[in-house]
Amino acid sequence: MFPCDLVKEKALAFGLHPKLKGKIFLAGGLAPWVISGENSNRLHSDIDFVVPLSEMETVRTFLKEQGLYDKNHDSLFLSCNQEKIDFGTEVFLDGLPVSFTPFFEENNNLYQRDFTTADFSTKDSLVTLCLPNLSPEDYITAYALSDGQKLYCTSLEFVYAKKSRKNRPKDQGDLQKMKQIGLKEDLLQHISASFSQGALEIKP
């Protein structure tokens, strides 16, 4: 687990990098704290970015250029991924996991892929979340930081809807901060409805 300020600094280094800006989107409970510039006063376990499927090779090329790429934590090379379908890749910064996982739209559904490896879970697995009637415009957006720069993230409405379903004690501060920043109620209801009809597939 890592202090909020350290994790925010690393997230901004990726999210605002000229080669990645607008191509990767910060996800999860860290987002409201990066947007607000405030401290969550809790520890964070990782940094998550979601990436349009078409930009995943751009991300891998960047990670290789930076000397960060780790084939052992690339979903394309997991033994359970016989079909070599892209579920993302992960790197480590002094032990801090940073994941880049692809999403795409198909037949009016939004698909978000993810994966776990045996060293962090019981086994390697490939995860697909299908959210009906959800578009990339509902999912991702840009927020202005205090210095005027734009950071591309999953929408706070999406983060709120997802965290509300889990309702873990550690999420309460995140949920409160998102309310404070401001949420679009109609979009939140739309995303929440999609979650209630969504399907999660885990292989193998």
Side-chain angles (χ1 to χ4, degrees), residues 66-85:
Q66 300 295 315
L68 295 172
Y69 178 74
D70 180 0
K71 184 177 177 179
N72 293 322
H73 286 89
D74 188 333
S75 66
L76 292 175
F77 299 100
L78 294 180
S79 58
C80 64
N81 190 2
Q82 297 294 323
E83 297 173 322
K84 302 297 181 191
I85 294 172

Side-chain angles (χ1 to χ4, degrees), residues 59-109:
V59 170
R60 286 185 174 89
T61 299
F62 173 82
L63 296 174
K64 289 172 184 175
E65 290 172 354
Q66 300 295 315
L68 295 172
Y69 178 74
D70 180 0
K71 184 177 177 179
N72 293 322
H73 286 89
D74 188 333
S75 66
L76 292 175
F77 299 100
L78 294 180
S79 58
C80 64
N81 190 2
Q82 297 294 323
E83 297 173 322
K84 302 297 181 191
I85 294 172
D86 196 348
F87 282 79
T89 192
E90 186 173 43
V91 300
F92 294 85
L93 304 176
D94 298 322
L96 172 65
V98 185
S99 66
F100 302 86
T101 54
F103 69 88
F104 60 95
E105 184 182 28
E106 188 175 275
N107 298 328
N108 206 33
N109 296 323

Side-chain angles (χ1 to χ4, degrees), residues 10-203:
K10 301 296 186 186
L12 285 170
F14 283 106
L16 296 178
H17 194 285
K19 289 188 176 181
L20 296 180
K21 189 173 182 179
K23 298 178 180 179
I24 65 173
F25 300 83
L26 181 65
L30 187 64
W33 304 106
V34 174
I35 293 164
S36 68
E38 297 176 26
N39 196 310
S40 66
N41 295 313
R42 71 172 177 88
L43 296 175
H44 294 259
S45 58
D46 56 16
I47 301 172
D48 298 316
F49 288 99
V50 298
V51 184
L53 181 59
S54 60
E55 295 288 1
M56 279 303 302
E57 284 312 305
T58 301
V59 170
R60 286 185 174 89
T61 299
F62 173 82
L63 296 174
K64 289 172 184 175
E65 290 172 354
Q66 300 295 315
L68 295 172
Y69 178 74
D70 180 0
K71 184 177 177 179
N72 293 322
H73 286 89
D74 188 333
S75 66
L76 292 175
F77 299 100
L78 294 180
S79 58
C80 64
N81 190 2
Q82 297 294 323
E83 297 173 322
K84 302 297 181 191
I85 294 172
D86 196 348
F87 282 79
T89 192
E90 186 173 43
V91 300
F92 294 85
L93 304 176
D94 298 322
L96 172 65
V98 185
S99 66
F100 302 86
T101 54
F103 69 88
F104 60 95
E105 184 182 28
E106 188 175 275
N107 298 328
N108 206 33
N109 296 323
L110 186 88
Y111 291 87
Q112 175 64 60
R113 293 181 184 153
D114 200 354
F115 70 102
T116 60
T117 54
D119 49 355
F120 280 92
S121 186
T122 54
K123 61 180 180 179
D124 294 346
S125 59
L126 307 172
V127 182
T128 304
L129 175 63
C130 173
L131 294 170
N133 305 311
L134 207 64
S135 71
E137 290 73 26
D138 300 325
Y139 188 39
I140 55 177
T141 190
Y143 292 94
L145 303 178
S146 58
D147 61 3
Q149 294 192 82
K150 279 186 176 179
L151 179 69
Y152 293 83
C153 304
T154 55
S155 68
L156 290 183
E157 290 81 7
F158 184 89
V159 180
Y160 191 95
K162 187 175 182 180
K163 281 188 170 287
S164 294
R165 293 176 69 81
K166 293 182 177 179
N167 202 28
R168 301 168 298 191
K170 74 168 189 172
D171 294 331
Q172 297 313 305
D174 301 348
L175 293 168
Q176 188 175 0
K177 176 51 62 180
M178 285 183 270
K179 280 185 179 177
Q180 200 177 76
I181 294 171
L183 298 167
K184 299 173 184 172
E185 193 59 38
D186 55 343
L187 179 57
L188 178 58
Q189 289 182 8
H190 175 61
I191 294 172
S192 297
S194 180
F195 263 111
S196 67
Q197 302 167 48
L200 185 68
E201 179 183 59
I202 302 175
K203 292 181 178 180

